Amino acid sequence: KRFKTLSFPVKADNCSRVNSTIHSILVVPMLMGGIATTSWGPAKEPTSSVAFLQFTLCITIAYFLCDTLVMVLYRVPLWKVYFAHHVFAVSPYINYMFVSPCGFGLFLLSCFMLVEFSNYSLNAQAWLEQNGKASTKAYAICFYITFFGWILCRLFNPYLLIYYVHAEMYPSIPSDQKWCFIPSMCCGYLIVLFCTAVFIFVLCNALKKRWTQKTDSLTDVASHTKEDIIEDGESGNDGPIVGPGGTVITINCDGMESPTKAIAWEAEKKFDELTVKARLRT
């Protein structure tokens, strides 16, 4: 029902994310298994059959072409950014499979596509946003999984590969065959730059905004609730005193000469302690 009420670009974006999720579910474990079972030489050139890895990369090419078509036809949000990303991402795979096969690039291309592992939580987060669930615990879980998953899959993995390329792979490739490895390496640089830019300008800003909103909200609640607690204590209110997060503050007044002032002072003290604990939890 909700899907029917969406605009065509947003519907297309949802379909695109479904394709992305299916692609990640299929390709990531297939690539991991293919990389592990393939025999590699000193320059990471394959020394055994590569049919399975090539089949997996063909699935990747089909996904990128299909997804690019959907984005261009229906102009999904930020479609120009994703279009540029898809063009740079799929070019070395098309070059390897159909233009100029280069055995030295297969290992790099296969490992780079493992970045798709971060798509699971990323797409779930987008679906929650579109359905007005951005303030739920499920969204918060998806957000932090995406944030740290991006660091692992789209920063650590690509940067480690680029380092390995220059430290081990490229120097080991025969000089007369290095030219065929260059397209894969150049596109690797572009993908690293893209992933880094998204992390800095999108994910880090989103994290900063999220923490700022939590702090402002907590400060606003504290400024009002604390005054109410002190007022209740000084007036001798017999009702429960509620602190941050709905925590009930209980005060033992046995043996006090001035119960009302003691309640106000003790309630204020306990409220400050609870506020500090609440901020630490966020």
Side-chain angles (χ1 to χ4, degrees):
K1 291 182 179 180
R2 169 69 177 167
F3 184 78
K4 293 180 180 179
T5 64
L6 302 175
S7 63
F8 266 99
V10 178
K11 284 182 179 179
D13 181 65
N14 273 269
C15 294
S16 175
R17 293 187 184 280
V18 171
N19 292 337
S20 171
T21 304
I22 294 173
H23 171 252
S24 300
I25 292 172
L26 288 175
V27 166
V28 171
M30 291 175 68
L31 285 174
M32 293 177 68
I35 293 169
T37 56
T38 301
S39 299
W40 304 97
K44 290 303 177 183
E45 72 279 13
T47 57
S48 59
S49 175
V50 295
F52 182 76
L53 279 176
Q54 288 182 337
F55 170 74
T56 306
L57 295 185
C58 283
I59 296 176
T60 292
I61 292 173
Y63 155 70
F64 276 117
L65 294 178
C66 177
D67 201 49
T68 302
L69 183 63
V70 171
M71 287 189 300
V72 173
L73 287 179
Y74 295 100
R75 299 292 197 272
V76 304
L78 299 176
W79 72 271
K80 292 182 180 179
V81 175
Y82 289 114
F83 175 78
H85 168 269
H86 282 21
V87 169
F88 288 124
V90 77
S91 294
Y93 294 92
I94 293 178
N95 179 70
Y96 169 78
M97 291 299 302
F98 305 110
V99 180
S100 177
C102 181
F104 296 99
L106 181 60
F107 179 81
L108 181 64
L109 294 174
S110 299
C111 289
F112 255 110
M113 195 46 58
L114 294 177
V115 300
E116 294 292 290
F117 183 78
S118 63
N119 285 351
Y120 305 136
S121 58
L122 180 64
N123 291 331
Q125 181 183 337
W127 284 323
L128 289 170
E129 284 180 0
Q130 291 173 358
N131 287 277
K133 304 292 185 180
S135 60
T136 62
K137 289 185 178 180
Y139 180 85
I141 292 171
C142 288
F143 177 85
Y144 287 110
I145 291 177
T146 298
F147 186 86
F148 291 107
W150 194 281
I151 294 175
L152 177 64
C153 300
R154 293 184 180 263
L155 291 180
F156 179 76
N157 176 44
Y159 275 103
L160 183 63
L161 286 172
I162 291 296
Y163 169 78
Y164 185 75
V165 163
H166 287 282
E168 300 291 340
M169 290 182 65
Y170 193 74
S172 302
I173 298 175
S175 56
D176 60 333
Q177 298 184 44
K178 286 185 177 181
W179 63 271
C180 77
F181 185 69
I182 293 177
S184 300
M185 193 164 58
C186 290
C187 287
Y189 293 144
L190 294 174
I191 295 300
V192 166
L193 289 175
F194 177 84
C195 292
T196 303
V198 171
F199 178 75
I200 294 173
F201 297 108
V202 178
L203 294 180
C204 286
N205 281 340
L207 181 66
K208 181 181 178 182
K209 182 179 179 181
R210 184 176 182 84
W211 284 357
T212 301
Q213 288 177 342
K214 280 188 175 182
T215 303
D216 292 344
S217 177
L218 184 59
T219 302
D220 184 62
V221 171
S223 64
H224 290 84
T225 311
K226 187 172 181 178
E227 294 174 0
D228 296 337
I229 287 177
I230 297 172
E231 183 179 349
D232 287 344
E234 291 179 342
S235 63
N237 186 4
D238 293 333
I241 301 175
V242 182
T247 305
V248 177
I249 299 176
T250 57
I251 308 296
N252 185 7
C253 302
D254 294 340
M256 293 184 179
E257 295 181 0
S258 181
T260 56
K261 290 184 179 180
I263 289 175
W265 181 84
E266 190 70 19
E268 182 179 358
K269 179 182 176 182
K270 288 199 173 185
F271 185 89
D272 290 337
E273 293 175 356
L274 290 169
T275 301
V276 171
K277 290 180 181 179
R279 287 185 178 180
L280 290 175
R281 284 197 297 270
T282 58

